[in-house]
Amino acid sequence: KQEVTQIPAALSVPEGENLVLNCSFTDSAIYNLQWFRQDPGKGLTSLLLIQSSQREQTSGRLNASLDKSSGRSTLYIAASQPGDSATYLCAVLFSGGSNYKLTFGKGTLLTVNP
Amino acid sequence: DGGITQSPKYLFRKEGQNVTLSCEQNLNHDAMYWYRQDPGQGLRLIYYSQIVNDFQKGDIAEGYSVSREKKESFPLTVTSAQKNPTAFYLCASVPGGNQPQHFGDGTRLSIL
């Protein structure tokens, strides 16, 4: 069964700290991996998408890496701010099934304290 | 601005009643999706549609129905057969291929 796991489920850090969120997946045959942000009561906002041929993607203070062979991705957030507080979800588009069907992890709830 | 509009934001269902959640997109995307989100469970796929007049069941389709008569619209009906409908429902779309999914702001459904 193709699954996506995110650890930890929750993380609390002081403002200014650099942090890493983890995502693991059970099958290395993937098209892409996406990181999303979700604010309370809202929909998901796409942060970064890494194609299977790529090793990392960067956007501002965010950097996402992908290691297909080990089934792992990390989202690195530099110089965290209270506005970064949200739930971060990892989603994988596995090969072999529907070309558009994402499998989501359960998310990491991040709290950045002022 | 282009985007996905879900309505209503909050919805209440009585026992034995069918309710319909609206999802409209003006992004000209081919594929659309419906997800259900429960606390601690992540997102689970209910139905998806890759083209007009065609749709497929996701992982938890029982008690739900959809239609795709227009490219812009993908309404979801929660039928009385769905015994535990209380959840946050999210609609998404994607242009195709290896592109990011775009999400609406969701509809929260509760039972009266």
Side-chain angles (χ1 to χ4, degrees):
Chain A
K1 184 180 178 183
Q2 294 167 330
E3 294 182 338
V4 177
T5 303
Q6 291 186 248
I7 295 174
L11 180 65
S12 181
V13 301
E15 181 177 2
E17 190 165 297
N18 302 328
L19 60 100
V20 174
L21 306 180
N22 296 294
C23 173
S24 61
F25 46 95
T26 53
D27 186 346
S28 62
I30 70 171
Y31 285 119
N32 66 48
L33 183 145
Q34 301 178 41
W35 283 94
F36 293 89
R37 169 184 172 139
Q38 185 177 30
D39 293 295
K42 296 290 189 180
L44 277 64
T45 299
S46 179
L47 297 174
L48 290 165
L49 182 151
I50 311 176
Q51 304 289 358
S52 63
S53 59
Q54 298 173 323
R55 296 298 299 268
E56 65 176 351
Q57 281 286 336
T58 299
S59 175
R61 294 183 294 110
L62 306 179
N63 176 276
S65 68
L66 174 64
D67 184 344
K68 283 194 308 178
S69 61
S70 66
R72 295 182 185 276
S73 175
T74 61
L75 179 66
Y76 174 82
I77 303 177
S80 59
Q81 303 170 358
D84 294 330
S85 298
T87 297
Y88 291 81
L89 293 115
C90 170
V92 176
L93 189 61
F94 289 105
S95 306
S98 162
N99 199 30
Y100 299 153
K101 185 179 170 183
L102 284 175
T103 300
F104 284 83
K106 294 182 180 181
T108 294
L109 175 61
L110 173 65
T111 303
V112 181
N113 300 302
Chain B
D1 279 9
I4 299 177
T5 301
Q6 290 188 241
S7 62
K9 189 172 179 65
Y10 300 96
L11 187 57
F12 298 91
R13 195 190 89 169
K14 296 179 181 178
E15 292 290 337
Q17 185 182 43
N18 294 350
V19 292
T20 298
L21 285 62
S22 171
C23 178
E24 303 278 334
Q25 55 101 355
N26 59 6
L27 300 167
N28 199 33
H29 288 175
D30 290 318
M32 297 186 74
Y33 304 78
W34 274 106
Y35 295 94
R36 170 179 172 144
Q37 188 176 34
D38 295 279
Q41 295 255 15
L43 275 70
R44 292 183 290 170
L45 183 64
I46 305 172
Y47 268 98
Y48 63 103
S49 168
Q50 296 185 1
I51 57 172
V52 174
N53 293 322
D54 186 52
F55 47 83
Q56 289 79 40
K57 293 181 179 179
D59 300 319
I60 54 165
E62 185 174 351
Y64 300 97
S65 66
V66 294
S67 63
R68 186 86 186 277
E69 298 177 0
K70 299 186 298 182
K71 188 175 186 178
E72 304 79 31
S73 179
F74 191 40
L76 173 74
T77 296
V78 184
T79 74
S80 57
Q82 172 51 244
K83 298 307 180 187
N84 184 24
T86 298
F88 190 50
Y89 291 86
L90 288 161
C91 179
S93 70
V94 65
N98 288 339
Q99 300 295 321
Q101 288 199 1
H102 296 249
F103 282 80
D105 277 342
T107 293
R108 187 165 300 279
L109 175 62
S110 303
I111 299 299
L112 283 177

